[in-house]
Amino acid sequence: MRHTVLFYNPISTSPGKQRLPLSILAVAAVISEDYDVEFIDGNLIADPAAKIIERVKATNAKLLACTVMPGPQLRQAVPVCKQVKAALPDLTILWGGYFPTQHAEVILNSDCVDYVIQGQGEAPFRQFVDTLHSGGAITEIPSLGYKNGGPHVNPRAPNVPMNNLPWFPYDKIDVSRYVGRSYLGTRVLNHNTSFGCPFACNFCAVVALSNRRWLPESAERVADIVTHLQDNWGINGLEFHDMDFFVNEGRTAEFADRISGKGINWWALGRVDTLMSYSDETWEKMKRSGAKMLFMGAESGDDETLKRMNKGGRSSTNATLALVERMKHYGIVPELSFVMGNPPDPRDDIEKTIAFIRKIKQINPATELVLYIYTPVPQEGSILLDEAEKLGFRFPATLDEWASPEWAKFAMRRDPGTPWFRDSVRRRVRNFEAVINAYYPTVTDLRLTGNYRHLLKGISGWRYKLGYYQWPYELKALQRAIHYRRPETTGF
Ligand code: B12
Ligand code: SF4
């Protein structure tokens, strides 16, 4: 008899913007030959708890496997899992992904989740599912967190190379519901081609997940998957959701060669210094293959802060300036994220980054900006976390607290409520953002016509030129009225 396993992706974005839920597709892939798998996506339905309960009753499923990022996803996961657990106390609930990897203890101390799996999920998940259905010592599974009089977490399983893992089970999910429209094209899907990142920036949650390992799919496999997506769903745009797509230049160049001529615009995340180290030949190949916009963490306008962030490699503000210039030459849009308001002197940090952003815009006005406010992540030896703790910062002690609106805001990294981050400093960032987004409206909003762009630029011009950002009420009203996309409201 085949058992059914249910997967739940809590809500992560606004209606119509949902992406393929890659996290649960990745772990479902390793069992879908031998088990029936069903996906419940909080982005697609209003009442996931009711749906889960209905599907468990209909299929006799023993396991609900759920992926959880901090933020709105966690806010939905907690009440839904509570409701499901209350209705079906025998159902096993397992969480995996970013939040359980960083905060296993607080989850295992709650009543609504039974187990967590940390880090790369596929191999331990397969073992967990088999053990749950066929018997065996569940508490010996690597990477597993369990309750046994108190929370325990086993050492991590060895990583598995991506090429040894099966493709996502596209035939088990209605992919067409995830085909969206964006700056990249009229039919856009998403994929993930690697696991991890070799760096250890101390504000970044990726470090806890992958512990400085980078495991790529081969260029050949990526190109085959892209072809499959195009043949079956007619895509002309693709977002790559890797933590760091570009670590290996040879892979990027080969991938670019393989997909050139397919008419697919693509977007991916990477590092400034890595991309600066690429040859002109590789950049030309990327351009030819459809690279349209690349997302990089520029992080700060101050080299000293980049060091304190442990950004590593050859990161520097000069490298960022050189890269935006290089990308202008190739006509590929840089999308830069910044982590602002770092302790101990958030005001000074912000002013330096604001001045730096102005320089970037002078060199390449098309550069997109995503301004985040620093929020700590658990990481051993992190200078930033140490400073935050000295200033009174503590992570929540319960899952309910994590699910509160205040901590969801913290996770969204826009208005985090951290002890060193005063309201006046937050206002400074938001006001600057209002002015720069009006003076340089995003290139990614398809509805923003030339007339609106002129209007926004005209009205904000005096402020931008004088560097006067205070009280930009007229711009905020205009931005509300026009309602155009601003990258920081949708970012990662
Ligand atoms: C795609 C993505 C999104 C999508 C939504 C994804 C979704 N699930 O629906 C969108 C764009 C909506 C989004 C939004 C946000 N995101 Co986001 N997002 C990502 C991104 C780029 C890729 C995640 C992904 O799909 N990877 C591919 C899959 C295959 O890998 P994976 O998730 O790591 O899964 C593996 C393991 O984690 C594990 N696993 C995962 N789930 C499960 C479940 C089970 C049961 C098991 C066993 C294992 C397991 O096994 C998998 C296979 O090995 C990551 C960065 C990154 N590249 O990882 C950030 C990231 C997860 N996002 C992040 C953040 C902060 C956000 C936002 C809060 C940002 C903001 N300011 O608005 C929002 C809000 C999210 C919300 N609503 O809760 C942070 C999380 C930081 C943290 N402290 O943990 C990340 C790490 C980015 C970063 N570097 O800071 N995001
Ligand atoms: S910020 Fe980027 S480079 Fe640094 S650890 Fe995270 S994913 Fe890697």
Side-chain angles (χ1 to χ4, degrees), residues 196-201 203-207 243-244 270-271 299 310-311:
C197 166
F199 290 88
C201 308
F203 56 86
C204 178
V206 168
V207 186
M243 302 157 196
D244 196 347
R271 279 177 59 98
E299 324 302 7
N310 199 27
K311 193 67 198 167

Side-chain angles (χ1 to χ4, degrees), residues 20 218 273 278 366 368:
L20 270 176
S218 65
D273 53 354
Y278 275 21
E368 295 281 303

Side-chain angles (χ1 to χ4, degrees), residues 435 438-439 452-464 472-476 478 482:
V435 175
Y439 195 65
Y452 279 137
R453 286 178 191 279
H454 277 111
L455 179 69
L456 284 160
K457 200 163 183 103
I459 292 185
S460 58
W462 70 272
R463 285 182 172 278
Y464 193 75
Y473 298 123
E474 78 290 2
L475 298 180
K476 286 187 177 166
L478 197 58
I482 300 178

Side-chain angles (χ1 to χ4, degrees), residues 12 23 67 69 72-73 98 102 121-122 241 243 412-413 492:
S12 58
S23 316
T67 185
M69 287 191 282
Q73 215 173 33
Y98 277 92
Q102 298 167 85
E122 289 89 339
H241 283 180
M243 302 157 196
M412 301 289 285
R413 303 184 292 198
F492 294 95

